[in-house]
Amino acid sequence: MDKLFIFDTTLRDGEQVPGCQLNTIEKIEVAKALEALGVDVIEAGFPVSSPGDFNSVVEISKAVTWPTICALTRAVEKDIEVAAEALKYAKKKRIHTGIGTSEYHIKHKFNSNQDEIIERAVKAVKYAKRFVEDIEFYAEDAGRTDNEYLARVVQAVVKAGATVVNIPDTTGYCLPTEYGAKIKYLIENVDMGNAILSTHCHQDLGMATANSMMGVLNGARQVEVTINGIGERAGNTSLEEVVMAIKSHKELNIETNINTQKIYPVSRMISSLMNMPIQPNKAIVGRNAFAHSSGIHQDGVLKNLSTYEIIDPKDVGIDDNAIVLTARSGRAALKNRLNILGIEVDDEELTDIYQRFLDLADKKKDIADEDLLILAGKETNNIHRIKLDYLQVTSGTGGVRRVANVGIDIAGDKFDAASSGNGPVDAAISAVWQVICNNTTVKDGETEIKEFLIQAINKGSNDVGKVHMQVEHRGQIYYGFAAHTDIVVASAEAFINAVNKFVK
Ligand code: KIV
Ligand code: ZN
């Protein structure tokens, strides 16, 4: 069996997505989950980009034992020095340096020429090699780089000491045959020595997994992926899709180190921490990925699973015999379900979540996994300075005025206000806003709601609604999120959640 290395970039390419930013503690939690999942390399960040990213790479390096910790840089000496410093505590470390190689990048980004770009690439690899033995080089926009020139770049960086060469389809432009042929061309025309080629595909045309697989079939031995395929624009290749494609096709004689039964819990954990819902029909981890709804399919599956199922849901950690949680479920059942979802809680946290679980179960018959993830993540709201104490709205048809009364707690002081609006949400937010403008340093006219998304989690009118909000304050965007069975409350809390990020 050939080994395929899994390079996870959820914490770098994935975390670049607006609204998906994690704090260092959350990143450590994700890194530990990725370690338990069995990834070979964790790309932990781009240290020179911000002190927060630097610190996260330092702390992840301390917290994780088995996977290689990788830090991204441009082909710039300062970036490389900062990355080497951030990786100080990593047991196994890698610097990922690179430069754009397509004509688009050479001309428009660098105003340079092909030979000069090779010189800069070689210089960066040699410089990085002074600090770290394991160096990965990325040829940015390799997808649109002429193969002959790309082979010259790859040969030069391998000679300079690169251990892995990444061939990113940065813009998600390639067709699977084209990307496969690119990898084949490089394998046939470059003396790789002990170095390997890596795929790094984007999903702009929906072909990231197909392109990565074609790369593997033509000789790449590392794939760069993210959990749930999150990433810039349409996203990156998703880990779960490539890993399960490899596992399902034994004839390929390729194996990965992934413990596939941990895929589902890690997927849920990422979705919940990053407030990034998973589309229901997403391959492997979507809510409907194993749900057979047509009569013919149900009949077949009941006779024999293999009629319509190519993967046993248990292989990806979906426990289809899961006990349905209701108001009568005990703490042990709740704790067990949280563990399946990748959430470890101590006794105190469990008591807190259990209380909120019972409150929700009173309003909603069956509690779904998504509900639990929200309940488990909700306590972070407690540390916020501004909190919603109460909210009462009047709304309806036939000339009824939409009016909201709110009570707000600002660092322990209580305030209230009333306001009207064109609907209950507008009235509630306007009342909240009045309190904030009158009692903090924030001024009216400096803040605007830019995006507002309400989403039901499951089905049914008793469902929990999630609200995502983008609020602009003095030219900066802040993200707010909340979930509640009452969407007016969820909207007011999401707004407060965003405001808490800039209010002094
Ligand atoms: O898509 C890309 O080209 C990248 C590189 C920085 C590796 O993410
Ligand atoms: Zn990328």
Side-chain angles (χ1 to χ4, degrees):
M1 283 261 190
D2 257 9
K3 164 132 190 208
L4 177 66
F5 291 92
I6 303 294
F7 175 116
D8 184 278
T9 184
T10 305
L11 292 172
R12 202 275 301 168
D13 230 350
E15 214 248 352
Q16 262 166 241
V17 177
C20 285
Q21 278 67 36
L22 302 178
N23 61 38
T24 302
I25 294 173
E26 291 166 330
K27 285 188 191 173
I28 292 171
E29 202 184 321
V30 171
K32 284 185 166 167
L34 292 172
E35 178 173 38
L37 180 65
V39 308
D40 300 285
V41 184
I42 296 175
E43 187 162 49
F46 181 12
V48 85
S49 68
S50 72
D53 243 43
F54 179 89
N55 194 37
S56 299
V57 176
V58 172
E59 295 305 324
I60 290 170
S61 298
K62 289 181 192 163
V64 161
T65 310
W66 297 111
T68 296
I69 304 300
C70 178
L72 185 79
T73 80
R74 293 165 298 180
V76 170
E77 290 191 354
K78 176 79 185 154
D79 285 27
I80 294 169
E81 287 159 18
V82 174
E85 178 64 22
L87 289 169
K88 192 161 67 182
Y89 299 101
K91 287 98 200 157
K92 293 187 223 157
K93 50 187 95 175
R94 176 182 296 177
I95 288 179
H96 189 190
T97 190
I99 194 163
T101 54
S102 68
E103 275 310 295
Y104 302 94
H105 283 232
I106 295 177
K107 274 202 191 113
H108 306 304
K109 199 166 145 186
F110 302 113
N111 188 21
S112 183
N113 61 58
Q114 290 191 336
D115 289 337
E116 209 174 272
I117 292 294
I118 293 187
E119 246 172 67
R120 285 169 72 169
V122 167
K123 210 166 145 225
V125 171
K126 287 191 173 159
Y127 193 65
K129 206 81 183 169
R130 290 199 205 169
F131 303 94
V132 171
E133 186 43 43
D134 188 2
I135 306 298
E136 175 165 340
F137 177 82
Y138 63 87
E140 196 177 7
D141 206 14
R144 295 188 299 169
T145 301
D146 160 66
N147 286 351
E148 237 173 85
Y149 174 62
L150 188 59
R152 278 176 58 210
V153 176
V154 175
Q155 189 64 79
V157 295
V158 168
K159 208 162 151 238
T163 43
V164 180
V165 185
N166 178 10
I167 309 299
D169 183 20
T170 306
T171 57
Y173 169 76
C174 285
L175 296 173
T177 44
E178 196 182 352
Y179 190 77
K182 193 174 279 291
I183 298 293
K184 185 167 190 279
Y185 183 88
L186 295 173
I187 295 278
E188 286 172 355
N189 290 282
V190 177
D191 176 5
M192 293 294 295
N194 289 328
I196 57 168
L197 290 179
S198 179
T199 68
H200 179 114
C201 299
H202 280 267
Q203 181 71 338
D204 300 67
L205 293 173
M207 288 189 274
T209 297
N211 283 345
S212 303
M213 286 304 297
M214 285 302 281
V216 173
L217 296 182
N218 283 285
R221 281 298 168 264
Q222 177 179 279
V223 282
E224 305 198 1
V225 289
T226 61
I227 303 289
N228 302 335
I230 63 157
E232 286 268 35
R233 309 179 307 277
N236 288 53
T237 307
S238 55
L239 178 146
E240 60 275 11
E241 292 176 12
V242 172
V243 166
M244 292 316 289
I246 296 284
K247 188 175 163 112
S248 305
H249 285 270
K250 304 257 180 301
E251 75 281 8
L252 298 179
N253 265 323
I254 298 174
E255 64 183 1
T256 72
N257 191 40
I258 298 297
N259 175 354
T260 62
Q261 291 188 348
K262 296 214 181 285
I263 284 179
Y264 186 69
V266 176
S267 154
R268 293 285 136 169
M269 174 197 221
I270 296 293
S271 164
S272 137
L273 283 175
M274 292 190 166
N275 292 327
M276 192 67 154
I278 301 170
Q279 73 194 61
N281 59 330
K282 165 83 182 65
I284 317 294
V285 292
R287 187 172 74 221
N288 296 344
F290 299 98
H292 302 276
S293 50
S294 86
I296 296 173
H297 284 209
Q298 284 178 350
D299 181 53
V301 167
L302 286 173
K303 287 179 177 141
N304 189 320
L305 274 179
S306 62
T307 49
Y308 288 101
E309 246 175 45
I310 56 163
I311 297 170
D312 181 344
K314 290 198 184 71
D315 274 355
V316 293
I318 296 177
D319 177 5
D320 50 357
N321 294 322
I323 303 159
V324 175
L325 293 175
T326 67
R328 284 172 302 287
S329 302
R331 286 167 55 101
L334 175 65
K335 185 163 190 210
N336 177 51
R337 196 72 210 148
L338 288 169
N339 290 349
I340 289 171
L341 294 171
I343 303 167
E344 301 292 336
V345 285
D346 59 28
D347 274 358
E348 203 180 315
E349 286 163 331
L350 181 63
T351 304
D352 183 40
I353 297 171
Y354 187 58
Q355 197 47 54
R356 281 185 282 117
F357 161 77
L358 291 179
D359 289 346
L360 182 61
D362 272 348
K363 300 183 193 120
K364 199 171 179 243
K365 204 161 72 67
D366 297 338
I367 305 293
D369 289 350
E370 285 80 359
D371 298 324
L372 290 183
L373 288 164
I374 286 168
L375 289 179
K378 200 114 196 293
E379 60 273 11
T380 50
N381 285 348
N382 297 342
I383 54 168
H384 288 155
R385 195 164 166 250
I386 306 176
K387 284 187 235 167
L388 182 67
D389 256 355
Y390 68 85
L391 167 66
Q392 195 182 39
V393 286
T394 320
S395 82
T397 54
V400 174
R401 279 186 73 218
R402 284 85 183 179
V403 182
N405 290 291
V406 294
I408 303 279
D409 179 319
I410 303 182
D413 292 328
K414 308 282 185 189
F415 304 95
D416 51 35
S419 186
S420 57
N422 66 5
V425 171
D426 188 40
I429 288 179
S430 144
V432 169
W433 190 230
Q434 258 186 52
V435 173
I436 291 169
C437 288
N438 291 340
N439 300 289
T440 69
T441 54
V442 175
K443 299 272 165 295
D444 200 11
E446 298 177 327
T447 307
E448 197 185 338
I449 295 177
K450 286 290 192 193
E451 218 174 283
F452 180 35
L453 176 74
I454 303 183
Q455 211 181 16
I457 296 178
N458 293 298
K459 304 161 191 153
S461 57
N462 67 352
D463 199 4
V464 172
K466 285 183 176 186
V467 175
H468 293 260
M469 210 178 272
Q470 263 187 37
V471 177
E472 189 183 286
H473 176 68
R474 297 188 182 168
Q476 278 261 86
I477 294 285
Y478 298 87
Y479 296 88
F481 170 77
H484 201 278
T485 48
D486 182 327
I487 56 162
V488 185
V489 174
S491 306
E493 285 190 336
F495 181 64
I496 292 171
N497 184 238
V499 171
N500 266 311
K501 293 178 181 158
F502 57 77
V503 82
K504 297 277 170 324

